[in-house]
Structures are given as structure tokens and as C-alpha cells.
Amino acid sequence: MPLNEIASSLVELTRRCVSFTALKRARQLHALILTAGAAHDSPYAGNNLISMYVRCGSLEQARKVFDTMPQRNVVSYNALCSAYSRNQSYASFAFSLITRMESESLKPNSSTFTSLVQVCVLLEDVLMGSLLHSRIIKLGFLDNVVVQTSVLGMYSSCGELESARRVFECVNDGDAVVWNTMISGSLRNDEIEEGLVLFRSMLMSGVEPTQFTYSMVLSACSKLGSYSLGKLTHARIIVLDGLADSVVENALLDMYCSCGDMKGALYVFERIHNPNLVAWNSIISGCSENGFGEEAILMYGRLQKRSTPRPDEYTLSAVICATGETERFIHGKLLHGQVTKLGYERSVFVGTTLLSMYFKNGEAESAQKVFGLITERDIVLWTEMIVGQSRVGNSECAVQLFVKMYRENNRTDGFSLSSVLGACSDMALLRQGEEFHSLTVKTGFDSVMSVCGALVDMYGKTGKYDAAESVFTLVSNPDLKCWNSMLGAYSQHGMLENALSFFEQILQNGLTPDAVTYLSLLVAFSHNGSTQQGKFLWNQMKERGIKAGFKHYSCMVNLLSKAGLVDEAMELIQESLPGNNEAELWRTLLSACVNTRNLQVGLYAAEQILRLDPEDTATYILLSNLYAVKGRWEDVAEIRRKIRGLVSAKDPGLSWIEVNNNSTQVFSSGDQCNPEVVQVQDELQRLKSNMLCRLSSPSIDQDQFLTEPVCSD
């Protein structure tokens, strides 16, 4: 065989080296080509060698070939530019090539500029992209659709939508690729509605959408919740194309799930010939998020029976989300076993859903074990742990977790800050709440609506109305939650006039009161005994279709009972939904009967409570007080004996106080374990002595009264 034919065959073989594993063979071929002398005849062999090394992932070797080529043409430069445009580490070297190219009297073509524009996208260098755009116009590529499309994509990728629009308007007879680039840029920059407008314009201009177009439009419908447009797009896909690719099928699934139409989602899913893992994850996640927990678990079971695809961490996260309810908690525990078996126990995604599941079912200890296994924790996991501890009543633990998160240099966000402020509200920790307020200002989250609402709530619950009002007035456009927080602060402390004035402001700002708004007002009326106003508000709430919850009923029962309207109070209790903390409502009525000395109704209320919970200590105490105010001392003694028997088997109630060193001291009835119990008892004795002396000597100076005893026992 002639030598030139051998060399030509060797050059053709370079196209078969297509991966990093073939690099050794590529070097061998390179050596043979050099031996055959093919590299000296024309740039053809060198260009193929450059492309070969690029496919094998060795850009350094490709550059060496380029530099040692005796002859280079535009293809040589384009091959290397194209390689650089796909590699972050080498991208900046591409710009020097165009200068060298011109020094060799070679003119760049459309492929050259397309690669250089892609380099600007990779480096996110919009300034260099603009300079390159000027060069493109100067060299006469303004009418080249391929180059203009790449420039359009560069501007939209760098967030310069206005520049992208100007380029788009200059493109004549743009094809589907041009339209797709502009629509994609709008969606990428959160201009979702504009992207949908472009889609309509695309249809009106007669350009036929591609599968990629449909997938983008369906994704936009998912984000906006535009169910009608999503269905119309689905209909168009069926009519025009009949069959959709996997990307469009997954986009359809996501659209129906996001819009809450699980029937439509299941219809699409069942017609996918061979669903991939993305489709399985979408349908399982959609069922979980839309309240179809059983269906999510069944879908996961179907997936397990298949050989492929196998569940991943996202699949497990989606199905575990469906097991938060008590009736499906057992499935969640079984799934936790599978998580461990498959090796995903350290996954942040799976761990976050497991935490949520365990906290919803009150198993804080299990949640702590899950949290402890995960070493690389993100803000979502930390926040789930903080919120969960608050939910189960461990507010102090929630605060400690946030402090630990911050000290480990994890970033905070508005949700984590509002969560820890909520924990401070629950425990009335003013000093720590103020420190977290400073942190919100420092991190710039003091303007986030959820944080503002949490700050107002925290200051309101600790009695700092001035601070709560100051935070509220700084909010430019408060939402209803923020208004409710301020209204709740006034209501909880019986500031009825302020609450009513604030309610009027809510209405004047065009906001529609919700159940929380009405609850706050009912609390204010209950504190002040404003029975008629409370009844009027109750009727107004029902007329507006707002469903009353347990707390609403509790406020009304308390209000009516204190006013002596026990019959109306009993009617409300019987009207409330079964199981809606019925015992608590009867206990509210019993407490009011003690104050009004209504023995008959009080005994009936106690009977209803003890029917539900025969060992309810609080009811026996109230019943004892009721007998006492009626002078029935034998009954009091009998009830007291029952109470002593019950108290020994019950956990004591807790009280706490925040002291100067930012620690929280917890106390319980009969507790002798506190290391400072002796000092506490001495202080209580001193205060008791002063109180007794105060009663007998009203003229004692206030300062003297607060500092030291003025007489002995």
C-alpha cells in the first residue's frame, strides 16, 4: 500500500478515539502519523489530531499539536476554540486565538464567533460578550442567524434581557431555535409571563414549536400554576405531534402535579411506555404533596417491583413525605429501614424528610438520631430541626440549635431566623430575642416579611409593645400575617381599643381578615368581658364563611361563661366538632362556674370532662374549688384525697425564667434538684416577709420594701 494511503487511513482512525480511556491509543496513532509524514502535507491531519485529543479530554495535548502545526487554517482555530468554550479552566485562552488568527491573515467565520460567544457565557463575562458583539457586527455577521442566536443566548444567560430583546428584534425570519433561546432566557431570568407571551407570538408568527419549546412552556405553567394554559398545551401536543419525548412527558407530569390535578397526572403517567426515574419521582412527589399519601406509597411499591430504574434519594424523600400522618407513620418507619439498607442515611434530602416525619409524630428522639448521622448539613436541614423542636415544645433546644448552626458558620436565611424568633416567643425569651433581632439587621433579613412578623410576635408576647410597633412601622407593605402578629400582641394583653383600631386599619388597607384575625379579636373581647361585641364578631365570622377552630370556641365559651350565659356556652360546646378538644371546652365552662358559683352546671361540666379523661387532675382541682365556694367542705376533702393519688402519677408542671447570663432556669412543683434551691427558698421567704409587712404597714417606703425586709416573722 502506498505511504500516502497508509497515512490517510491512520488519520481516519483518529476519529475512533472518543474517550479519555483511549488517550494512550491516541498517542500511538499520533506517533504513527508523524512517522508516515502525513502531518506535513496539509492542516487536515493536524486538525483531526486536535479533535482527537479534545474528544479524549486532553486539551493540553491538543494545544501542543496546534502550536507545532506547520500550516493552520480556520478549521484548526475553530477546533481549539470550540474545545476551550466547553472547559472552564481553558476558556480564557480562547480570546488570544482570534488575534493570532488575524496575524496569520485568516478570517474568522460564524463557527469561530459562535465558540467565542459561548466562552463569554461560560465565564459570565457580559462586557467581553458586548465587545465581541460589536466585532460581529463590524465583520458583517449581523444577518447570520446562527451567530445572532448565540449572541442572544449570551445576553439572556448573563441576565441582560433588554440587550437580548434588541438582538431578537434584529433577527429576520428567526427559526424555532431563535424563539426557544429567547423564551428560555426569559424563564431563566424569572420573566415567566413574558416567556409565555413570546410563546404565543411564536405561534402567531407561524413558527412550529419543538419538543423543547413545549417542555419550557409546561415548566412555566407549573411555576405559575397556569392550569388552563397547561391543558391547552397538552392538547396541542396530542393533536400536532401525537407522541412526546421523555422530557415533554416529565414536564406534563410536573405541570399536572403542580396544579393539583392528580387525575390528569396519573393519566399522563400511565401512558408513558417506559417511565424513567424522573417520571417516577414526579408522580410519587405529586401524590405526596397533594394529599394522596396512600397512592404515593402504592406507586413506590410498583417501582420497587421493577428491575429498573432503582429508587434514589429523591424517590425516598418524596415517598417519606407521604408518611407524616399518624395512620401512615408505620410505613415511614419501614422506609427508614430501607434508607439505611440503601446507604442514604447520610443524605441531606432524605434526612430532612425523615426529620419532618418524626417530629409530626412527636418522636423528637428519633429525629435527633437522624440528625446526628448527617455530617454535611445544609440550611434546610438545620431549619427543619429547629422548627421541629419548637413544634414538640422544646423551644430552648431550638434556640440552642440555631446558635450552634451559626457558630459552625452555616448561613442563615429568613425562614431559620423567623423559626428561632418563634421559639423565643414561645418561651418569652426577650433578651435572646433581641440578640436575634440584631442578627436579622446584620444579615439584611430584617425586611423579610416572615421575619418582621416573627419579631412583632416576639416583642408582643414579651410585653414590649413599643418595640413591636417600631418593627411593624418599618415594614413597607405588611401582609396579613404581619398585621395579625401586631393585632395578637394587643389582644393577648387585653388592649381592646388598640386591637379594634388596628382591625379597622386592616380593613382600610383592603385586606380580608382570616381565622387568625378573628381569633385575636375574640381573645381581646374575652379579656375585657365584652360579651355583646364578641357575639357580634362571632356571627360576622360565620357569615363570611370562616370556619371556627378549637381556639375560637374556647374564647367564646370563656366569654359567655364569665357573663353568666352558661346555656349559650353549653350550646356552643355541643355545636363544636366532635373530638375538637371537647374536654378543654368543658373545663373552660367549669372554671367560669367556679367564679359564678353555679354548682349545677359546674358538676355537669365536670362529669363531661371525667367521662373523656377520668384522671384529669385539673378538673378535680376546679371541682374542689367549686365545692369550696359553696361551702361543701366534706366534698372538698374527698376531692383533695383523689387529687393526691393522681398527682403522684402525673408529671409536674414546669415554670422557667430567663436570668442575666442568658440561661434559662426551669422549676417544677416539689423540685429540690436545682443547685440554687436554697437561695431560691431564702429569697421566697424574704419576699413573703415583705408582703406580710406591706399588708400591715401600707406607709412603708417603696424602695425599702423592694430591697430588704422591714420586720421579721
Side-chain angles (χ1 to χ4, degrees):
M1 181 182 290
L3 190 61
N4 61 340
E5 290 185 17
I6 295 172
S8 179
S9 299
L10 289 171
V11 170
E12 289 298 321
L13 283 173
T14 61
R15 298 179 182 179
R16 299 191 179 186
C17 299
V18 294
S19 66
F20 182 76
T21 55
L23 184 57
K24 183 178 180 181
R25 185 171 297 174
R27 287 172 177 154
Q28 291 172 346
L29 281 172
H30 188 184
L32 288 170
I33 290 170
L34 290 174
T35 304
H40 295 281
D41 296 337
S42 71
Y44 175 74
N47 293 343
N48 277 280
L49 285 170
I50 291 171
S51 298
M52 176 187 72
Y53 280 121
V54 168
R55 288 194 298 272
C56 294
S58 179
L59 294 190
E60 186 177 351
Q61 194 65 43
R63 182 60 188 254
K64 285 181 180 178
V65 172
F66 177 85
D67 289 337
T68 56
M69 286 175 66
Q71 297 181 56
R72 285 180 288 270
N73 58 13
V74 176
V75 176
S76 312
Y77 280 94
N78 288 350
L80 200 58
C81 271
S82 177
Y84 285 166
S85 71
R86 297 190 296 272
N87 190 298
Q88 184 86 35
S89 302
Y90 287 85
S92 58
F93 297 126
F95 297 114
S96 62
L97 289 175
I98 192 168
T99 305
R100 184 171 176 180
M101 185 180 189
E102 291 175 341
S103 69
E104 295 181 8
S105 300
L106 295 171
K107 290 184 179 181
N109 60 17
S110 60
S111 296
T112 317
F113 284 118
T114 301
S115 296
L116 289 172
V117 169
Q118 183 57 38
V119 168
C120 297
V121 174
L122 195 64
L123 297 175
E124 296 181 353
D125 191 341
V126 70
L127 178 59
M128 185 60 74
S130 300
L131 294 172
L132 194 60
H133 186 195
S134 301
R135 191 77 171 272
I136 288 167
I137 296 171
K138 183 179 179 180
L139 293 178
F141 288 95
L142 185 63
D143 295 329
N144 189 298
V145 175
V146 176
V147 176
Q148 291 293 73
T149 303
S150 64
V151 172
L152 174 61
M154 181 271 295
Y155 280 126
S156 60
S157 296
C158 295
E160 294 287 334
L161 269 186
E162 191 57 42
S163 298
R165 290 188 194 101
R166 287 198 292 268
V167 173
F168 180 72
E169 290 167 0
C170 293
V171 178
N172 296 320
D173 300 323
D175 58 7
V177 178
V178 176
W179 284 96
N180 287 348
T181 304
M182 193 62 206
I183 293 170
S184 175
S186 297
L187 300 183
R188 190 184 298 117
N189 289 282
D190 293 326
E191 297 286 345
I192 300 173
E193 292 182 356
E194 182 181 338
L196 294 177
V197 169
L198 282 166
F199 173 64
R200 295 188 187 97
S201 300
M202 179 182 184
L203 295 175
M204 292 173 67
S205 67
V207 178
E208 193 62 38
T210 63
Q211 298 274 349
F212 180 59
T213 317
Y214 288 128
S215 66
M216 288 191 297
V217 171
L218 289 168
S219 176
C221 293
S222 299
K223 292 177 181 177
L224 288 179
S226 183
Y227 179 60
S228 57
L229 181 57
K231 288 197 74 174
L232 287 171
T233 306
H234 187 189
R236 185 178 178 86
I237 293 168
I238 294 171
V239 171
L240 297 180
D241 297 312
L243 295 174
D245 63 15
S246 61
V247 177
V248 174
E249 288 172 337
N250 293 336
L252 276 168
L253 265 180
D254 185 55
M255 184 275 294
Y256 279 114
C257 291
S258 298
C259 295
D261 182 5
M262 290 311 301
K263 186 177 179 181
L266 290 166
Y267 174 87
V268 171
F269 181 80
E270 296 300 344
R271 278 154 184 77
I272 299 176
H273 174 63
N274 188 24
N276 56 21
L277 188 57
V278 176
W280 281 103
N281 288 351
S282 294
I283 195 67
I284 293 171
S285 177
C287 289
S288 298
E289 291 172 2
N290 288 288
F292 293 87
E294 290 295 336
E295 287 77 1
I297 295 168
L298 290 173
M299 279 290 177
Y300 180 75
R302 283 176 57 182
L303 174 61
Q304 279 192 304
K305 292 175 183 177
R306 298 168 65 99
S307 57
T308 57
R310 302 306 303 158
D312 63 3
E313 57 186 329
Y314 302 104
T315 321
L316 290 164
S317 298
V319 71
I320 290 169
C321 281
T323 62
E325 301 299 325
T326 306
E327 62 270 18
R328 291 189 290 273
F329 183 41
I330 184 64
H331 295 290
K333 287 188 171 182
L334 293 172
L335 285 166
H336 190 180
Q338 286 196 22
V339 167
T340 305
K341 183 179 178 181
L342 294 171
Y344 290 119
E345 66 273 13
R346 298 182 187 278
S347 165
V348 173
F349 303 104
V350 178
T352 302
T353 52
L354 283 171
L355 286 183
S356 177
M357 177 192 74
Y358 280 120
F359 278 125
K360 283 180 180 177
N361 289 275
E363 293 201 9
E365 189 175 341
S366 298
Q368 184 64 54
K369 289 178 181 176
V370 171
F371 184 75
L373 286 173
I374 303 170
T375 52
E376 296 182 8
R377 301 162 180 165
D378 63 3
I379 184 65
V380 179
L381 184 76
W382 278 103
T383 304
E384 188 65 48
M385 193 68 185
I386 293 166
V387 172
Q389 292 289 7
S390 296
R391 187 184 296 141
V392 296
N394 297 336
S395 297
E396 186 178 6
C397 181
V399 173
Q400 291 170 353
L401 277 166
F402 182 90
V403 173
K404 184 179 179 182
M405 177 186 78
Y406 186 73
R407 286 177 177 170
E408 290 181 7
N409 296 319
N410 292 283
R411 68 179 182 86
T412 59
D413 61 8
F415 193 61
S416 60
L417 284 164
S418 59
S419 300
V420 75
L421 285 167
C424 292
S425 298
D426 293 338
M427 295 190 71
L429 300 177
L430 175 61
R431 192 172 291 107
Q432 284 192 312
E434 288 174 333
E435 291 175 0
F436 292 131
H437 186 182
S438 299
L439 182 60
T440 65
V441 176
K442 180 181 176 182
T443 54
F445 289 107
D446 54 321
S447 59
V448 175
M449 195 65 67
S450 61
V451 175
C452 291
L455 283 168
V456 171
D457 188 53
M458 185 271 296
Y459 282 122
K461 284 183 177 178
T462 53
K464 294 288 184 179
Y465 310 113
D466 292 343
E469 288 170 349
S470 296
V471 172
F472 183 82
T473 53
L474 291 174
V475 184
S476 58
N477 188 24
D479 61 6
L480 185 60
K481 288 184 179 180
C482 204
W483 283 95
N484 284 345
S485 297
M486 195 66 232
L487 180 63
Y490 290 135
S491 300
Q492 286 167 7
H493 295 275
M495 302 170 71
L496 181 58
E497 290 185 8
N498 299 65
L500 288 172
S501 173
F502 216 70
F503 181 68
E504 288 298 324
Q505 291 180 53
I506 291 175
L507 298 176
Q508 288 169 10
N509 278 271
L511 298 171
T512 303
D514 62 3
V516 178
T517 316
Y518 281 104
L519 176 61
S520 296
L521 278 178
L522 287 173
V523 168
F525 291 143
S526 180
H527 273 301
N528 287 270
S530 304
T531 310
Q532 293 305 316
Q533 287 177 296
K535 291 171 73 173
F536 175 80
L537 190 73
W538 176 264
N539 292 329
Q540 185 187 87
M541 184 179 75
K542 295 178 75 174
E543 287 171 4
R544 294 192 176 186
I546 294 175
K547 187 178 179 181
F550 159 70
K551 292 183 178 179
H552 297 86
Y553 277 102
S554 181
C555 281
M556 280 304 295
V557 169
N558 185 51
L559 184 62
L560 294 171
S561 301
K562 285 180 178 178
L565 303 173
V566 290
D567 292 337
E568 292 185 39
M570 289 173 66
E571 286 178 13
L572 271 183
I573 295 173
Q574 291 161 356
E575 176 191 312
S576 67
L577 294 173
N580 190 8
N581 288 334
E582 188 180 347
E584 189 66 36
L585 295 177
W586 284 113
R587 195 178 295 113
T588 300
L589 179 60
L590 174 58
S591 178
C593 289
V594 174
N595 296 327
T596 57
R597 303 188 175 209
N598 191 327
L599 182 62
Q600 182 181 356
V601 176
L603 290 174
Y604 179 76
E607 181 183 335
Q608 300 305 310
I609 303 167
L610 296 174
R611 175 177 57 82
L612 298 168
D613 184 4
E615 296 184 354
D616 187 71
T617 309
T619 300
Y620 282 112
I621 292 172
L622 287 171
L623 195 55
S624 170
N625 294 341
L626 180 60
Y627 282 133
V629 296
K630 298 296 287 187
R632 294 175 55 167
W633 302 110
E634 291 182 3
D635 292 324
V636 171
E638 182 182 347
I639 294 295
R640 288 292 178 183
R641 282 193 293 272
K642 287 184 179 180
I643 292 172
R644 281 193 290 272
L646 290 172
V647 167
S648 60
K650 294 282 185 178
D651 292 330
L654 297 177
S655 296
W656 60 85
I657 185 171
E658 184 184 17
V659 293
N660 290 332
N661 59 356
N662 277 353
S663 65
T664 304
Q665 296 290 327
V666 181
F667 303 89
S668 64
S669 176
D671 181 19
Q672 299 294 312
C673 299
N674 192 291
E676 299 180 39
V677 66
V678 176
Q679 295 95 312
V680 171
Q681 289 175 343
D682 289 344
E683 182 64 17
L684 286 172
Q685 188 62 36
R686 186 185 71 79
L687 291 171
K688 180 181 176 182
S689 300
N690 279 341
M691 289 168 68
L692 291 171
C693 293
R694 182 70 172 175
L695 288 172
S696 59
S697 307
S699 61
I700 291 176
D701 180 75
Q702 185 178 8
D703 292 335
Q704 185 182 13
F705 171 67
L706 290 173
T707 54
E708 59 182 354
V710 294
C711 62
S712 63
D713 280 332

